[in-house]
Amino acid sequence: MVLDISPVLKGEVRRQTFEYTVAPIPMRGIEFCDDAQVIGEITDDAGYMRLHARVHLDYNSHCDRCLEPVNGSFDLDFDRTVAAEGVLTEEQIEENVDEFVIVDKGMLDIDDQIAEALLLEFPKKILCDESCPGLCPKCGKNLKYGKCSCSEKEQDPRLAVLAQLLDKKDEQ
Ligand SMILES: [Zn+2]
Ligand SMILES: [Zn+2]
């Protein structure tokens, strides 16, 4: 959505709030329940303008370790300095692409920047729980619901070598 922020630019108000939604960029393995909710404000501190927005996204996915369904939500803080079109050089914008939003004739369009920030910051690993132990690589049991018997049978390879040595000793 294009925001008309001329009231704050003209100094008529010191603070302007906004609230709307942005369509997230599709991500593999993630189903978005809805568009991202954006709640934010632009504040003017003696000509220094800042934009702060809180972006909220609900999603469905699967745990990367145990594959169980995960209904999660992700929140992102989006903070930028508001700069007028033409004030910054191309270089300055390119070098600080994460720092600025550019106002063009009183209008501000941050949808693409928000969608990109979401894509960038979205967790790379989805877990049902930080401590999810995952599936047993041998029998496939979800270890969240208790141990399987594989781990008991399994031996540390170093101990296995030791056991072999001991066996040989016994034979002698
Ligand atoms: Zn899990
Ligand atoms: Zn197992």
Side-chain angles (χ1 to χ4, degrees):
M1 193 173 87
V2 179
L3 301 165
D4 179 3
I5 66 160
S6 38
V8 73
L9 286 178
K10 286 180 191 154
E12 292 167 10
V13 293
R14 297 280 301 277
R15 181 172 173 268
Q16 200 178 329
T17 58
F18 56 89
E19 185 171 344
Y20 67 108
T21 59
V22 170
I25 297 168
M27 297 176 214
R28 231 173 75 187
I30 312 285
E31 180 206 326
F32 298 117
C33 310
D34 234 321
D35 284 350
Q37 288 168 282
V38 182
I39 298 174
E41 61 176 16
I42 292 155
T43 50
D44 173 20
D45 183 10
Y48 178 65
M49 271 171 231
R50 291 285 293 170
L51 178 143
H52 170 76
R54 185 99 175 136
V55 188
H56 180 88
L57 192 55
D58 290 315
Y59 63 88
N60 296 320
S61 190
H62 291 88
C63 175
D64 280 348
R65 286 191 198 140
C66 73
L67 311 176
E68 285 203 346
V70 174
N71 306 314
S73 66
F74 175 63
D75 288 285
L76 175 80
D77 280 307
F78 186 85
D79 290 292
R80 298 289 189 274
T81 298
V82 180
E85 166 85 40
V87 167
L88 299 170
T89 64
E90 290 273 319
E91 264 180 14
Q92 278 176 313
I93 295 172
E94 258 169 50
E95 280 170 16
N96 306 287
V97 78
D98 296 341
E99 310 250 334
F100 297 105
V101 286
I102 310 295
V103 195
D104 190 7
K105 298 182 185 75
M107 299 295 180
L108 192 60
D109 185 355
I110 56 171
D111 291 15
D112 289 351
Q113 274 173 284
I114 286 184
E116 275 164 29
L118 275 174
L119 184 68
L120 221 76
E121 303 289 331
F122 199 82
K124 301 289 172 277
K125 240 184 163 46
I126 303 292
L127 297 175
C128 61
D129 189 282
E130 279 297 324
S131 63
C132 172
L135 304 176
C136 169
K138 276 203 165 163
C139 70
K141 182 178 169 168
N142 190 342
L143 301 174
K144 195 159 66 174
Y145 304 117
K147 277 186 183 164
C148 57
S149 49
C150 303
S151 55
E152 285 156 28
K153 284 178 218 154
E154 200 145 319
Q155 251 181 345
D156 185 313
R158 287 163 302 180
L159 290 180
V161 171
L162 195 67
Q164 265 178 6
L165 288 174
L166 290 175
D167 278 350
K168 274 185 191 158
K169 239 185 187 171
D170 284 347
E171 282 165 21
Q172 281 168 1

